[in-house]
Amino acid sequence: MAKIVCVLYDDPITGYPTSYPRDDLPRLERYPDGQALPTPEAIDFKPGALLGSVSGELGLRKYLESNGHQFVVTSSKDGADSVLDRELPDADIVISQPFWPAYMTAERFAKAKKLKMVVTAGIGSDHTDLQAAIDNNVTVAEVTYCNSNSVAEHVVMTMLALVRNYIPSHEWAVKGGWNIADCVQRSYDIEGMQVGTVAAGRIGLRVLRLLNPFDVHLHYLDRHRLPAEVEAELNLTHHDNLESLARACDVVTLNCPLHPETEHMINADSLKWFKRGAYLVNTARGKLCDRDAVAAALESGQLAGYGGDVWFPQPAPKDHPWRTMPYNGMTPHISGTSLSAQARYAAGVREILECFFENRPIRDEYLIVQGGHLAGVGAHSYSAGNATKGSDEAARFGK
Ligand code: NDP
């Protein structure tokens, strides 16, 4: 019997939903590169239900309890008296979502003597100290591709919202105004702009493909070049460093993982490389950016807009400057947890658990750390080390 501790975000303040706006989800056959969608032996939820909140339980309770396991679900994850900390000493598996991350620091690994696996219900395992996982021989797995396209949609939405000045214009409509000049004094077309992505992985490439019909000029920065036929199809300009990309682009989006190599890549120095009035969209991870440097760049006009859904830490404290800085298009961390995405990552977590309990190999594309080193997709996209520093600040939320 194993003990699984699952950290999920709270239910809606109106209570767990009893109905939804739509009756079903579109059925997807495969991901764009041909990778198969999650293939658990069964699921015990209806796709389209809210699964990522505490009462949704990722649809796992029946499966786990019928196999004799103990399943603890909580949203209490920060501060020394959290339920997570209380349950850790005899936990075999910890599951959490990047939207409401259980920061698995070295201190928590030291407490969790029985821990064998940490699962990210989503993509991005930077909330786990990968070095500590390596040192403690704990497997880290995530559900690669489950919400990459969801995030790409959010990126394009945010770019358009910023460039066209959508959010303030909507606010004028709500408050009864007809202040066209107020709305359009910061409104442009994206057509013809130079738009670039830092990283052209699953999300970055999807963003490039979605943007192509807008007749923009597309750029990307990545350690590995895309195939020549993709570069030709999308008429891409490749850059091998951030300075070159930033100097060329009007709009930049960040789509690389957070790891020690990428932490704070956007800072007071690198922001000087951007064109005055550039837009920056970050749905990858808050810590890719220096928090105060971004807020200062919006105040000075060096950036015309900043948007996205990722913060550090999460939940962000109530006085986090990105909540109130000018020209921001921020949301809480939601892009990868649409009801559509939840159905995929809940099924992916179930697949990972089935493999773990039945001693079957976990797909390479889901593995980040295994056997004391970076493995599978983790060996390709991450670097060893720790990006969880400072996460204790999350305990300030709600205070
Ligand atoms: P992928 O692994 O498909 O892509 C990541 C890309 O980042 C790879 O192409 C990799 O390059 C590139 N990369 C890694 N390090 C660097 C670097 N130093 N400089 C430039 N490029 C680099 O992942 P996804 O596209 O699916 O997801 C990307 C990230 O987005 C996740 O790690 C996560 O942090 C975030 N995310 C956010 C979500 C949200 O809800 N907001 C949901 C899902 C993901 P290469 O392969 O060439 O080495």
Side-chain angles (χ1 to χ4, degrees):
M1 188 194 104
K3 174 170 170 179
I4 298 99
V5 180
C6 185
V7 175
L8 300 176
Y9 46 78
D10 285 313
D11 287 348
I13 49 177
T14 46
Y16 190 74
T18 50
S19 68
Y20 294 90
R22 298 183 57 79
D23 297 327
D24 53 18
L25 297 180
R27 202 180 148 70
L28 306 183
E29 297 303 329
R30 299 208 149 257
Y31 295 117
D33 71 349
Q35 183 187 313
L37 270 78
T39 50
E41 281 156 14
I43 53 169
D44 298 313
F45 60 83
K46 183 172 177 333
L50 177 61
L51 301 166
S53 75
V54 169
S55 297
E57 301 184 317
L58 294 178
L60 291 172
R61 184 168 296 280
K62 184 171 165 207
Y63 161 68
L64 289 172
E65 289 188 346
S66 65
N67 282 287
H69 303 301
Q70 186 189 353
F71 187 43
V72 178
V73 181
T74 181
S75 65
S76 164
K77 69 182 187 77
D78 297 305
D81 52 355
S82 71
V83 174
L84 171 63
D85 279 277
R86 206 164 64 220
E87 300 289 347
L88 267 181
D90 58 349
D92 296 277
I93 297 174
V94 170
I95 303 171
S96 83
Q97 306 165 107
F99 325 104
W100 189 257
Y103 289 107
M104 290 301 294
T105 57
E107 296 71 36
R108 281 182 163 158
F109 273 94
K111 267 191 207 169
K113 298 274 182 246
K114 290 181 64 190
L115 192 62
K116 296 172 192 67
M117 183 161 73
V118 177
V119 182
T120 302
I123 304 173
S125 296
D126 49 277
H127 56 276
T128 295
D129 180 338
L130 297 183
Q131 193 57 52
I134 289 168
D135 296 343
N136 289 279
N137 196 15
V138 172
T139 296
V140 180
E142 62 185 47
V143 190
T144 301
Y145 232 141
C146 63
N147 54 14
S148 302
N149 291 355
S150 324
V151 176
E153 290 183 8
H154 197 99
V155 171
V156 175
M157 174 185 78
T158 307
M159 279 182 187
L160 291 171
L162 291 176
V163 172
R164 302 199 59 84
N165 207 31
Y166 171 74
I167 300 165
S169 306
H170 173 68
E171 285 165 357
W172 274 114
V174 172
K175 60 192 178 202
W178 197 258
N179 301 48
I180 295 173
D182 291 281
C183 299
V184 301
Q185 63 182 331
R186 297 185 65 87
S187 176
Y188 297 90
D189 295 350
I190 201 170
E191 182 182 12
M193 285 191 174
Q194 311 286 330
V195 184
T197 173
V198 173
R202 293 170 184 82
I203 296 173
L205 179 56
R206 179 76 170 182
V207 168
L208 293 169
R209 284 195 191 287
L210 295 181
L211 283 172
N212 196 32
F214 284 89
D215 289 333
V216 292
H217 303 280
L218 295 171
H219 300 250
Y220 78 104
L221 157 66
D222 205 297
R223 304 181 296 191
H224 303 99
R225 291 284 286 256
L226 288 165
E229 61 271 21
V230 177
E231 287 195 354
E233 173 204 335
L234 299 172
N235 196 16
L236 299 179
T237 304
H238 175 257
H239 299 259
D240 57 13
N241 63 77
L242 179 61
E243 179 172 358
S244 161
L245 181 92
R247 288 196 188 283
C249 288
D250 304 294
V251 184
V252 172
T253 167
L254 308 180
N255 295 298
C256 59
L258 170 66
H259 52 104
E261 225 175 85
T262 59
E263 190 168 336
H264 290 154
M265 65 195 302
I266 305 295
N267 53 49
D269 292 329
S270 60
L271 279 162
K272 291 186 190 134
W273 300 330
F274 285 69
K275 291 187 192 177
R276 192 188 78 83
Y279 302 89
L280 184 57
V281 173
N282 176 14
T283 52
R285 283 298 177 260
K287 247 201 210 181
L288 295 175
C289 299
D290 178 307
R291 185 191 68 177
D292 297 334
V294 165
L298 288 164
E299 295 284 353
S300 74
Q302 176 60 7
L303 289 180
Y306 179 95
D309 67 333
V310 286
W311 310 65
F312 186 82
Q314 293 189 174
K318 296 224 169 1
D319 60 356
H320 194 297
W322 291 5
R323 290 183 184 271
T324 49
M325 64 191 179
Y327 318 123
N328 87 74
M330 294 301 295
T331 64
H333 193 166
I334 56 162
S335 65
T337 185
S338 57
L339 296 174
S340 324
Q342 289 173 41
R344 291 188 291 273
Y345 67 68
V349 172
R350 169 85 178 249
E351 177 188 333
I352 289 168
L353 292 173
E354 287 174 0
C355 290
F356 179 85
F357 289 125
E358 294 163 24
N359 275 321
R360 289 187 279 120
I362 295 170
R363 292 191 207 188
D364 248 14
E365 59 244 37
Y366 290 169
L367 284 175
I368 305 300
V369 172
Q370 194 174 48
H373 40 76
L374 291 171
V377 87
H380 185 80
S381 289
Y382 287 82
S383 58
N386 170 26
T388 67
K389 287 182 294 295
S391 52
D392 42 337
E393 208 200 325
R396 277 181 49 219
F397 179 79
K399 292 212 167 126

